[in-house]
Amino acid sequence: MSLGTFMYDYIEGIIPKERILLEEPMSRHTTFKVGGEAKCMLLIEKEEELIRLIPYLNRIEQDYFLLGNGSNLLVGDRGYRGIIMKLGEGMNKIAVEGECIRVQAGALLSQTAVAAKDAGLSGMEFAAGIPGTVGGGIVMNAGAYGGEMKQITRSVKVMDQEGKILILDNDTMEFGYRTSIIKNRPFVVLEVELQLKAGNKEEIQLKMEELMEKRRSKQPLNFPSAGSTFKRPEGYFAGKLIMEAGMRGYRIGGAQVSEKHCGFIVNAGKATAADIREVIEEVQERVKKRFNVMLEPEVIFLGDF
């Protein structure tokens, strides 16, 4: 057993044995479809489980990572020796309350956008094609096609390292381009209240379809990836810089700069995490050398490469 007996016994007092996965391949849980084994993965179905687990793990100084859909994550080939807590179906409830939607952190942004449409609520159309969860979307202020979570978030229910529950309003969240207060503070997102507006269902549906068609026509959705690999540098577009640096189609092993959209690095076939990381670093180096612009990855690197 790769967990200490005392730690395992404590965790088993909170999480049923069937939801404790030891040496779990992370390639099953990331949209890149790569990554070694996590020492332990816990499938979380209730807020109360996080409230009991996180203070304990902090107290014993055990590394952990909260996982949603794995859509913005690159896990090293040698795996992660900490504990992965993956939000399960018990953490993806969506409740419509008038023009507000109360949604748990594990719900997919796409599912929430559909629920908003079904309720005749407008404002979340931009998120229909984003592959991440609401919790992850809040942490990085996810956005697309002129919309972002900052525009529709009323409040965020979070937990601190000691298990204390806090409600943060929009201003307190310190939303910025692909960032929020949670990027710099050890908070865990539990639930989000979204403020939307009444709209016409058919018009909302058409808008979502229009944005999805844009996404399909411009992005390499036929390959595993983590979406846009780099943040947009101020005054530039990452994909354009990469293309002008001559890196369209650049490949190491199974990892490739997409020929369809240079802002995406894709798993073009049997890539390793090391392949993907090497391509990212080579892109950074060449763009810096050519344009004196340092591209910052949106992708989170986790574990041992």
Side-chain angles (χ1 to χ4, degrees):
M1 185 183 298
S2 57
L3 287 183
T5 303
F6 182 81
M7 189 195 306
Y8 186 89
D9 288 346
Y10 183 88
I11 290 171
E12 197 181 7
I14 301 169
I15 306 292
K17 185 176 286 189
E18 63 270 19
R19 291 199 271 121
I20 302 173
L21 310 179
L22 300 177
E23 308 301 334
E24 178 69 8
M26 289 303 293
S27 56
R28 298 175 182 172
H29 303 278
T30 67
T31 57
F32 263 132
K33 305 299 182 189
V34 302
E37 295 178 343
K39 177 170 73 172
C40 176
M41 176 178 284
L42 307 177
L43 304 179
I44 304 296
E45 297 292 345
K46 300 175 185 176
E47 280 187 12
E48 292 74 19
E49 293 168 354
L50 289 176
I51 290 168
R52 292 179 65 188
L53 280 167
I54 286 178
Y56 169 73
L57 296 176
N58 284 316
R59 209 160 46 240
I60 65 172
E61 299 182 342
Q62 169 63 57
D63 289 339
Y64 61 86
F65 184 84
L66 206 68
L67 179 69
N69 198 41
S71 60
N72 208 38
L73 184 66
L74 181 63
V75 180
D77 299 307
R78 290 161 58 203
Y80 177 62
R81 304 318 298 162
I83 292 177
I84 299 284
M85 289 181 278
K86 182 171 184 177
L87 302 184
E89 290 183 5
M91 289 288 294
N92 68 1
K93 295 180 181 62
I94 301 169
V96 178
E97 302 170 357
E99 293 187 359
C100 292
I101 293 185
R102 194 175 299 278
V103 55
Q104 289 183 299
L108 292 174
L109 287 163
S110 55
Q111 291 175 332
T112 310
V114 169
K117 181 262 295 179
D118 290 344
L121 296 177
S122 178
M124 205 172 176
E125 293 87 336
F126 73 89
I130 299 176
T133 59
V134 169
I138 286 292
V139 172
M140 65 173 292
N141 188 23
Y145 301 112
E148 58 183 359
M149 295 305 291
K150 174 184 179 178
Q151 298 166 356
I152 59 172
T153 298
R154 185 172 180 177
S155 65
V156 182
K157 179 182 176 183
V158 302
M159 179 179 66
D160 68 11
Q161 287 185 302
E162 283 74 48
K164 183 180 177 184
I165 303 297
L166 304 168
I167 305 295
L168 308 181
D169 64 18
N170 189 293
D171 290 340
T172 308
M173 283 297 299
E174 296 179 8
F175 286 119
Y177 175 65
R178 299 296 174 266
T179 190
S180 71
I181 193 173
I182 301 169
K183 281 272 192 179
N184 307 307
R185 296 281 290 275
F187 292 143
V188 171
V189 178
L190 298 175
E191 187 177 272
V192 181
E193 188 178 9
L194 303 173
Q195 180 66 60
L196 303 174
K197 294 180 180 178
N200 178 280
K201 276 189 192 182
E202 288 73 23
E203 290 177 4
I204 296 167
Q205 177 69 37
L206 284 172
K207 181 68 172 176
M208 286 168 63
E209 289 174 1
E210 176 191 327
L211 294 180
M212 282 302 296
E213 182 52 40
K214 275 189 183 180
R215 191 179 289 271
R216 280 190 291 268
S217 67
K218 294 180 178 179
Q219 298 181 8
L221 302 182
N222 54 325
F223 290 108
S225 78
S228 295
T229 307
F230 300 99
K231 294 181 181 179
R232 185 180 66 243
E234 193 171 347
Y236 300 92
F237 291 101
K240 191 168 188 292
L241 291 175
I242 296 166
M243 182 178 67
E244 291 179 355
M247 299 203 74
R248 182 191 293 276
Y250 178 83
R251 185 166 180 153
I252 294 175
Q256 183 179 37
V257 175
S258 168
E259 295 184 353
K260 190 171 188 178
H261 189 313
C262 292
F264 287 65
I265 291 171
V266 300
N267 180 353
K270 297 184 179 178
T272 64
D275 292 340
I276 294 168
R277 186 162 191 167
E278 281 185 58
V279 172
I280 289 172
E281 290 171 351
E282 185 65 22
V283 165
Q284 288 177 303
E285 188 176 322
R286 291 205 197 177
V287 169
K288 179 77 165 84
K289 187 175 180 180
R290 174 83 183 269
F291 301 106
N292 198 32
V293 174
M294 188 63 190
L295 294 178
E296 183 183 349
E298 279 193 26
V299 176
I300 296 167
F301 300 95
L302 184 70
D304 300 321
F305 287 80

